[in-house]
Amino acid sequence: MAYVVVRKGNAEDTGRTFTLSKPVTLVGRRTPQSQPDIELSDEVVSRRHLEIILKDGRYWVRDLGSTNGTMLDDDRIVPGNLYALRHNSKIGLGVEGASAHTVLVFKETEDTGIIVGKRSQVAEPGAVPQVAWLQIDEAKKEVLVDGKPKRLSKKEYDLLLFLYKNAGTVCSHDEIIEAVWSESKDTSAISDATVAQLVHRLREKVEPDPARPIRIISKQAFGYMLV
């Protein structure tokens, strides 16, 4: 079943998760006269702001003529039109310039039958990635590369651990941002260039030849994979 997470907005809303359990889910501002399925407190959100619709096996979003508009992945959408959602799509409510006051992140789980190979930040119990050159002791926050200890910054460690738990699978920029900058109230502010810089610093510490990486591989337009 799919769900949305409030990634940015009023403090009382940020971090809340809403399951999309209906064919049509109404999103809007909480008022005595309005009872949307997903209630938000931001004043720039209309009482009936948008709908998230399950149709033909896919999820779609439609602005209902809201006062302050809706964005999908940083582009403003036309009220009344349907727009397809994908895993990690960002839905912005209350547009001001090039950003939105409230941002929902759309998530798909494996049982939707839509997304394939979705990853978790937590490995399955007992599962041990097979990466010959790397050992990570999560309890001690220690990293061995080719049997030698490596000192990493917190972000470098978080990135390496996430890639390690998903070894052999391409991790998208959005997935990396969500895992490494999980404390951020506005992950949309973390750019792909910031991710690339962090990857570059990590490669300097784990690659035999950082100029010719063979352990953290770039997949252009997709993300990174640890092998």
Side-chain angles (χ1 to χ4, degrees):
M1 186 173 293
Y3 60 97
V4 294
V5 180
V6 183
R7 189 64 66 202
K8 174 186 174 185
N10 286 356
E12 63 186 279
D13 295 331
T14 303
R16 296 175 68 195
T17 298
F18 298 91
T19 301
L20 302 175
S21 57
K22 298 181 178 181
V24 179
T25 301
L26 175 64
V27 181
R29 179 165 46 87
R30 181 174 59 243
T31 70
Q33 298 79 28
S34 176
Q35 295 183 325
D37 301 304
I38 296 178
E39 298 180 339
L40 301 170
S41 61
D42 196 330
E43 289 295 324
V44 301
V45 175
S46 296
R47 287 182 298 173
R48 293 176 53 85
H49 198 105
L50 60 85
E51 292 175 330
I52 298 176
I53 302 166
L54 177 59
K55 179 182 178 183
D56 300 328
R58 295 200 63 182
Y59 284 89
W60 308 76
V61 63
R62 174 167 59 197
D63 181 278
L64 297 175
S66 63
T67 301
N68 295 301
T70 301
M71 301 178 76
L72 178 60
D73 292 326
D74 303 322
D75 292 321
R76 189 159 185 163
I77 65 176
V78 177
N81 290 356
L82 285 176
Y83 294 82
L85 295 172
R86 57 182 179 84
H87 184 61
N88 281 328
S89 284
K90 296 188 290 292
I91 306 169
L93 298 84
V95 180
E96 183 176 352
S99 62
H101 281 254
T102 293
V103 176
L104 311 179
V105 179
F106 172 76
K107 300 286 186 181
E108 290 176 312
T109 56
E110 290 184 13
D111 59 6
T112 62
I114 300 171
I115 184 168
V116 178
K118 182 178 181 293
R119 287 167 292 281
S120 168
Q121 293 183 34
V122 180
E124 292 296 326
V128 179
Q130 299 299 310
V131 182
W133 57 270
L134 178 62
Q135 292 176 277
I136 298 179
D137 186 329
E138 291 186 63
K140 297 180 179 180
K141 299 293 188 292
E142 292 179 349
V143 173
L144 296 179
V145 175
D146 297 322
K148 298 178 181 178
K150 291 288 180 178
R151 296 184 61 182
L152 305 178
S153 69
K154 183 179 184 305
K155 292 299 183 191
E156 291 167 351
Y157 174 85
D158 289 345
L159 173 59
L160 184 61
L161 181 63
F162 181 67
L163 294 175
Y164 173 69
K165 288 185 174 182
N166 296 288
T169 304
V170 178
C171 299
S172 71
H173 291 89
D174 285 343
E175 289 171 326
I176 291 171
I177 289 169
E178 185 179 337
V180 178
W181 285 270
S182 58
E183 79 288 351
S184 175
K185 292 184 178 180
D186 182 14
T187 53
S188 63
I190 310 298
S191 68
D192 289 352
T194 299
V195 175
Q197 290 170 3
L198 181 60
V199 170
H200 175 76
R201 295 200 303 270
L202 184 57
R203 281 172 169 164
E204 292 285 334
K205 297 182 179 181
V206 305
E207 292 281 359
D209 182 357
R212 297 177 178 82
I214 58 173
R215 293 175 170 177
I216 301 177
I217 308 299
S218 299
K219 296 294 182 180
Q220 191 171 10
F222 290 98
Y224 299 92
M225 178 173 66
L226 187 143
V227 294

